[in-house]
Amino acid sequence: MTAGWEYEARAMAQGFRAVCGIDEAGRGPLAGPVVAAAVILPYHVEIDGLDDSKKLTEKKREALYDVICEKAVAFSVAAVDEKVIDEINILNATFLAMKNAVAGLPQPADFALVDGNRSKGLEIPFACVVGGDAKVPSIAAASVLAKVTRDRFMCEMAAQYPQYGFEKHKAYGTKAHYAALDAYGPSPIHRMSFLKKYFASRGETL
């Protein structure tokens, strides 16, 4: 990560003192929850190798997860499952997960830096940062916690539903995943709202 702490510094210049970064994992997959994390880091803390979770290997993310949890002032992770996603749609489910992550912080945040270009429902002031997981240390930390948490959950689900190969693709729409859906149909943790068009194209209804 080449960026520094300018976003946190701007918030602190406005009088905020507990700035959290927020990011999510799992908006695109065909199954399982969307997971959001909120992290408050000590100002100017050094976490070697911290970056956007998508740029890191699984091994590096796992190692950073423990370092972030150790060094953070506070952190919280929240998940919204596939049933709620189907009920309120993935965008609203993502906002809900972010809101719940902030609410779950053991030390309250007074300002949030949110990865992306929009957010709603947060009960504290916030600013959106496009590409924030590569620019803002606390957002990068949140991206790692969210990604690792979701990946671990999907590996647990792989043991429960081994025919889908969740441990390999984490429920993203890979060729192997669609082949498993063709062979076995959806599992109880699949997002039905994500699969309607696919099965309709095959002349099937869910």
Side-chain angles (χ1 to χ4, degrees):
M1 173 174 287
T2 56
W5 293 80
E6 58 265 33
Y7 290 91
E8 286 92 343
R10 285 180 210 166
M12 295 175 79
Q14 296 175 51
F16 298 107
R17 289 295 173 262
V19 181
C20 72
I22 305 173
D23 201 4
E24 53 72 31
R27 283 183 63 173
L30 307 179
V34 61
V35 176
V39 180
I40 303 173
L41 291 177
Y43 191 51
H44 279 303
V45 69
E46 290 290 334
I47 299 180
D48 188 43
L50 181 62
D51 206 338
D52 173 5
S53 64
K54 295 185 290 295
K55 298 178 182 178
L56 303 171
T57 64
E58 184 174 355
K59 184 177 180 181
K60 183 62 175 177
R61 286 195 299 266
E62 286 283 350
L64 279 169
Y65 181 97
D66 293 333
V67 176
I68 292 164
C69 292
E70 179 184 335
K71 292 194 173 185
V73 173
F75 66 89
S76 172
V77 181
V80 173
D81 71 21
E82 66 286 339
K83 292 179 177 56
V84 177
I85 291 170
D86 285 340
E87 185 179 328
I88 67 174
N89 77 45
I90 185 59
L91 183 61
N92 287 324
T94 301
F95 292 154
L96 178 59
M98 290 180 172
K99 177 182 177 181
N100 291 346
V102 173
L105 285 167
Q107 176 174 320
D110 59 8
F111 191 84
L113 294 166
V114 185
D115 184 58
N117 60 5
R118 58 177 168 165
S119 186
K120 70 175 184 179
L122 296 180
E123 296 176 355
I124 57 174
F126 66 90
C128 293
V129 184
V130 176
D133 43 12
K135 299 175 183 176
V136 181
S138 59
I139 293 179
S143 79
V144 170
L145 296 196
K147 175 67 172 166
V148 170
T149 298
R150 190 182 187 282
D151 284 358
R152 288 176 178 176
F153 176 80
M154 293 313 301
C155 287
E156 292 174 11
M157 291 299 98
Q160 194 166 339
Y161 306 106
Q163 65 270 41
Y164 297 99
F166 289 141
E167 75 283 0
K168 297 175 183 176
H169 49 65
K170 308 302 188 291
Y172 282 89
T174 63
K175 186 175 179 180
H177 191 180
Y178 279 114
L181 283 166
D182 291 344
Y184 304 106
S187 73
I189 66 163
H190 274 94
R191 302 172 181 177
M192 296 299 109
S193 56
F194 279 46
L195 296 176
K196 284 180 180 177
K197 286 185 180 178
Y198 175 71
F199 281 99
S201 71
R202 292 164 46 84
E204 302 175 32
T205 56
L206 293 174

